[in-house]
Amino acid sequence: MQSILPLPTQPVKPGTSTGQQFWQSSEKTIDSYSPADGQLIARVHVSSRADYDRVVETAQAAFQQWRQVPAPRRGEIVRQMGEQFRRYKRELGTLVSYEMGKSLQEGLGEVQEIIDICDFAVGQSRQLYGLSMHSERPAHRMFEQWHSLGVVGIISAFNFPVAVWSWNAMLAWVCGDVCIWKPSEKTPLTALACQQIIGDVLRNNDVPEGVSCLVTGGRDAGEWLARDPRIALVSATGSTRMGKAVAEAVAGRLGRSLLELGGNNAIIVSEHADLDLAIPAIVFGAVGTAGQRCTTTRRLIVQESIYDDVKNRLKNAYAQLRIGSPLDESFHVGPLIDQQAVKGYQTAVNEIRELGGRFVVEPGLIDGSGFESGCYVKPCIAEAENQWPIVQKETFAPILYLLKYTSLDDAIAQQNAVPQGLSSAIFTLNMREAERFLSIAGSDCGIANVNIGTSGAEIGGAFGGEKETGGGRESGSDAWKAYMRRQTNTVNYGTTMPLAQGITFEL
């Protein structure tokens, strides 16, 4: 595949985004292979500890200047970044698709998420509001304000190699923070591309070197960020196992963490559902990104009176799925990210069979011409039980579990009876069922939808989940507060010194 972006011709080195400084003290590299065709597409230098320390020192120095830039001005720079991503949407979306394996439409959609969060952050830059409170003391004014936090570390996952970085970085930047990005070692080239795209914007606006930084590597680089007291906030997206390790390390130094971890998302299909609406949403939720979204639909909880109808409709829909190169827009499903993911799919399939599960749509590997990477698998559907250990786990693959329910209370109980709590949905035209699902006694997830699927969150709403999903919130609403520190202020403009709670203290 020929270069489609203004990328360096040499292996990329760790450093800052403006192109003025790149540091390399390690000869170790990461090889990025496309799951679409198995071809080597990039060789990226791995950051050494010395590289990392230089990046942090540069970021710390940049923060001293960047936080003094007025927030609306920071927003204007982010607006210009959004324009750059608009300019390179097709090219970057194609690269995302090729390096990660998601369909081209999803790759383009991911770049659109960057554009959307840039637009959101521009408006947010003029709305970093505090509150005004009435003091109990006369001639006193009490209020709160928000200040920039510091250096933000961003650890992103392979399945959304650029969008999740932007959810964090764009808000952090308008808040006056600086960012160090540790992308997944499975998708380093897309991270480099993003840094190159914004490089001209940063240079043209005389942004201090170190406002946007990149470090590369595997687990070591993530641990450096998590354990480093110089990093004010670590935002980590990935598996629950990884998130627990990050949370423990950050908490050990009393730092801040923002965690977006695993999902085990369910859709409840009521007997009052519009199935013509539900089936396409279920299929996309289950097979989009080859089941490698944290919001992928993994469990389908169907009212027993319509169970057979739903099952047959899904069999017919799955029979129409076309699997192939993610760059060909005629295909619905692309490959898994690598052979490790394929093994995870096979292990789950074997465990389902051992537990007595019956496949409604059969699993399998796909090989032959056009599938040389060995990363293509068949999306499958298995009749299962919610309490099975394999159903309780998140398998990053296109496996959908089909479950029955009798009453709505039963359905909600099954939905909530997993360790994860990210996304959920119900399909029903019954208002009472919908409101029951959204009530305090309904879904326990961070996202709860009615008559749409579990996948496809919009920028305007805060994204995140509960329980083993980590509790973090990114993107819209008031998620910006995670990237700032709150300060309460009281000003005495009177001529006496009254104390709070009526306390008297005389000398």
Side-chain angles (χ1 to χ4, degrees):
M1 183 178 180
Q2 295 182 340
S3 176
I4 55 176
L5 285 164
L7 302 176
T9 56
Q10 299 298 318
V12 63
K13 306 167 186 179
T16 62
S17 64
T18 60
Q20 298 169 12
Q21 298 182 44
F22 285 104
W23 301 303
Q24 176 200 353
S25 61
S26 170
E27 294 300 321
K28 295 171 64 176
T29 59
I30 297 170
D31 291 341
S32 178
Y33 290 89
S34 171
D37 56 18
Q39 296 298 307
L40 175 65
I41 58 173
R43 180 162 286 142
V44 178
H45 281 289
V46 173
S47 303
S48 69
R49 179 63 202 227
D51 298 327
Y52 168 82
D53 284 332
R54 293 183 68 180
V55 165
V56 175
E57 290 165 5
T58 304
Q60 285 183 298
F63 173 63
Q64 301 303 315
Q65 301 176 57
W66 182 243
R67 66 180 180 177
Q68 299 289 346
V69 176
R73 173 60 186 160
R74 298 192 297 253
E76 164 58 19
I77 294 168
V78 168
R79 185 196 66 79
Q80 294 175 35
M81 292 180 186
E83 291 303 308
Q84 284 288 80
F85 283 110
R86 282 182 172 90
R87 184 173 303 148
Y88 287 110
K89 178 178 176 178
R90 185 77 186 184
E91 293 85 353
L92 181 58
T94 302
L95 182 59
V96 166
S97 178
Y98 188 59
E99 186 176 37
M100 185 269 149
K102 63 176 56 178
S103 72
L104 181 57
Q105 282 299 310
E106 291 181 88
L108 296 171
E110 187 164 347
V111 182
Q112 187 61 47
E113 288 193 60
I114 301 178
I115 296 166
D116 291 345
I117 195 62
C118 286
D119 290 348
F120 182 91
V122 173
Q124 191 67 72
S125 69
R126 293 181 182 270
Q127 300 181 82
L128 303 176
Y129 297 137
L131 295 173
S132 176
M133 293 81 82
H134 289 280
S135 174
E136 67 185 56
R137 290 168 283 184
H140 281 61
R141 181 168 71 93
M142 187 163 60
F143 61 98
E144 68 178 24
Q145 59 182 332
W146 295 83
H147 292 303
S148 305
L149 189 60
V151 182
V152 173
I154 303 169
I155 302 172
S156 62
F158 75 87
N159 59 332
F160 280 85
V162 297
V164 172
W165 158 75
S166 72
W167 292 358
N168 287 273
M170 302 308 168
L171 290 183
W173 283 331
V174 299
C175 290
D177 301 326
V178 300
C179 298
I180 300 176
W181 182 13
K182 205 294 285 186
S184 169
E185 61 270 33
K186 298 180 181 182
T187 52
L189 187 58
T190 49
L192 167 65
C194 288
Q195 298 293 84
Q196 292 293 115
I197 286 171
I198 65 175
D200 286 343
V201 172
L202 297 174
R203 282 189 295 272
N204 293 341
N205 287 277
D206 296 320
V207 173
E209 191 78 31
V211 166
S212 178
C213 301
L214 180 72
V215 294
T216 54
R219 181 173 178 174
D220 286 352
E223 289 181 347
W224 297 337
L225 284 168
R227 299 185 185 281
D228 193 338
R230 297 172 294 181
I231 309 301
L233 170 69
V234 177
S235 177
T237 302
S239 69
T240 297
R241 177 192 57 78
M242 179 276 290
K244 287 180 177 179
V246 169
E248 182 178 355
V250 175
R253 58 179 177 83
L254 297 180
R256 297 191 190 188
S257 60
L258 193 166
L259 303 175
E260 298 289 354
L261 311 176
N264 193 349
N265 316 294
I267 293 178
I268 296 172
V269 183
S270 161
E271 68 268 35
H272 304 293
D274 179 344
L275 295 184
D276 291 336
L277 201 67
I279 296 300
I282 294 164
V283 175
F284 174 74
V287 309
T289 323
Q292 297 172 114
R293 290 183 177 219
C294 53
T295 54
T296 290
T297 304
R298 308 206 179 277
R299 297 174 296 138
L300 191 65
I301 306 171
V302 184
Q303 214 285 329
E304 59 185 3
S305 66
I306 61 167
Y307 182 85
D308 289 338
D309 187 14
V310 170
K311 180 169 66 173
N312 290 331
R313 286 177 182 243
L314 287 173
K315 287 173 66 175
N316 291 334
Y318 270 55
Q320 300 173 52
L321 291 175
R322 295 186 297 275
I323 305 169
S325 170
L327 298 181
D328 186 335
E329 295 187 65
S330 69
F331 293 119
H332 299 107
V333 184
L336 294 176
I337 184 65
D338 56 20
Q339 287 298 315
Q340 181 181 356
V342 174
K343 289 178 181 177
Y345 168 86
Q346 291 176 300
T347 298
V349 165
N350 291 337
E351 188 170 341
I352 293 166
R353 294 194 194 278
E354 291 171 2
L355 289 166
R358 190 177 76 84
F359 282 96
V360 174
V361 176
E362 287 291 328
L365 307 185
I366 305 175
D367 53 22
S369 179
F371 303 100
E372 288 83 2
S373 70
C375 294
Y376 292 85
V377 301
K378 295 179 181 178
C380 60
I381 303 175
E383 293 183 295
E385 297 293 336
N386 197 60
Q387 71 273 15
W388 289 355
I390 188 61
V391 178
Q392 292 285 307
K393 294 191 300 185
E394 178 188 45
T395 300
F396 239 43
I399 302 173
L400 178 64
Y401 300 111
L402 201 54
L403 312 169
K404 288 182 182 179
Y405 80 87
T406 52
S407 68
L408 183 60
D409 285 347
D410 172 32
I412 293 173
Q414 288 192 62
Q415 195 263 214
N416 293 343
V418 292
Q420 310 84 359
L422 179 53
S423 188
S424 60
I426 186 171
F427 277 85
T428 181
L429 300 180
N430 183 304
M431 183 184 72
R432 288 178 176 173
E433 288 188 331
E435 292 295 333
R436 171 78 171 80
F437 179 74
L438 300 177
S439 74
I440 187 66
S443 170
D444 66 358
C445 294
I447 299 169
N449 298 327
V450 176
N451 293 329
I452 65 170
T454 60
S455 247
E458 295 183 31
I459 287 300
F463 180 89
E466 303 301 325
K467 302 188 293 189
E468 287 194 357
T469 301
R473 293 296 186 274
E474 296 171 333
S475 189
S477 186
D478 64 349
W480 61 272
K481 293 179 179 178
Y483 308 93
M484 303 195 82
R485 59 182 177 88
R486 186 196 309 249
Q487 185 180 80
T488 300
N489 309 106
T490 306
V491 177
N492 180 357
Y493 58 89
T495 58
T496 61
M497 183 56 67
L499 301 178
Q501 292 85 48
I503 295 173
T504 59
F505 181 77
E506 298 180 1
L507 295 177

